[in-house]
Amino acid sequence: MSDLTSTDLFDLSPVVPVVVVDTLDQAVPVARALADGGVPVVELTLRTSVALDAIRAIAAEVPEVVIGAGTVTSPALAKQAAEAGARFLVSPGATPSLLAAMRETGLPFLPGTATVSEALAVLETGHTAMKFFPAEASGGAKFLGSLPSVLPDARFCPTGGITLANAPSYLGLANVGCVGGSWLTPADALAAGDWDRVTALAAATAALR
Ligand code: 3PG
C-alpha cells in the first residue's frame, strides 16, 4: 500500500525525472543530486538489470525522495517493483492485465495512453490519472489541449520528447498534472558521476510552474 493516491503523483513536482541507471552505484547519488536540486521524486525505469536493486537502494538510503518504478510493462514487473519498495508505478501502455496488476499492488499508478480510445479504456476502470506517451510523437501539447472538452476527468503526465524548453507548453494545460522526462539525468552525466550537473538541471526546473 502507499500513503499516496494516483492523483497525488501530480503534486510531487512539476517534473518527474525519468531515470535509467546502468550500474547500481549510480542509484543513490543520482537520487540525492535530484533532491538537492529541489526535485524530490524519481521514476526509476525497469530497463536495466540493476533497476530493481536501484529502487531498493534509493528506498532505503534516500528517504527524502519518493521513488517509483517506470517502464512497468508486465504484471510480473509491477509486483517486483512494489516488492522492491517502489511507491508508485508508471507504464508506457495499459493492457487489461497490466492495469489489474498495477491496481493489485495498492500503489498509485500512471498507465500509459496515447489515443482517446486508450484514455477512455483507462477511464472505464475508474482511473483518471495517466501518462501520455510518447507525448511529442503522439500529437504533443496540441493533442492534449484538445481533450478536456471530451474527457473532462482525465489528467495526464506527458513524457517522451519533453525538454526544459517545451515543458511550459504542457504545464500550461488544465489537464496536465506534471511532465516527465530524461533530460535531468543525461547518461553521460551519470556515467561520469557528474552529480553537480544533475543538481543544476533539476534546479533549472524549479522555475517551471
Ligand atoms: C519515458 O519512459 O517516459 C520516456 O523514455 C521518457 O522520454 P524522454 O527520454 O524523451 O524524456
Side-chain angles (χ1 to χ4, degrees):
M1 288 300 290
S2 170
D3 49 332
L4 298 167
T5 68
S6 294
T7 49
D8 287 342
L9 297 176
F10 295 137
D11 299 325
L12 296 172
S13 169
V15 179
V16 173
V18 175
V19 180
V20 180
V21 293
D22 288 318
T23 60
L24 188 54
D25 62 354
Q26 296 171 348
V28 165
V30 77
R32 287 203 177 116
L34 288 164
D36 287 348
V39 175
V41 56
V42 167
E43 178 191 324
L44 201 298
T45 58
L46 303 180
R47 297 181 199 175
T48 60
S49 60
V50 297
L52 288 169
D53 283 336
I55 289 171
R56 265 184 217 103
I58 294 169
E61 296 180 47
V62 198
E64 67 271 32
V65 160
V66 177
I67 177 67
T71 322
V72 177
T73 50
S74 71
L77 283 177
K79 191 163 182 282
Q80 288 165 21
E83 286 167 359
R87 293 177 61 196
F88 65 90
L89 305 175
V90 183
S91 66
T95 67
S97 61
L98 186 53
L99 281 171
M102 291 197 290
R103 191 180 295 277
E104 177 77 11
T105 65
L107 295 174
F109 62 98
L110 299 175
T113 59
T115 67
V116 172
S117 292
E118 290 168 11
L120 277 172
V122 170
L123 288 168
E124 278 176 9
T125 70
H127 196 84
T128 58
M130 50 196 97
K131 166 168 164 149
F132 172 53
F133 176 83
E136 282 290 290
S138 303
K142 199 168 176 193
F143 174 87
L144 275 184
S146 307
L147 298 188
S149 54
V150 291
L151 304 178
D153 295 333
R155 286 185 81 206
F156 298 89
C157 175
T159 79
I162 313 247
T163 63
L164 187 62
N166 66 12
S169 67
Y170 288 93
L171 290 169
L173 297 172
N175 60 349
V176 168
C178 62
V179 301
S182 61
W183 84 88
L184 281 67
T185 53
D188 59 336
L190 269 61
D194 189 351
W195 310 122
D196 287 347
R197 185 169 158 216
V198 172
T199 296
L201 287 164
T205 68
L208 295 170
R209 196 171 259 179

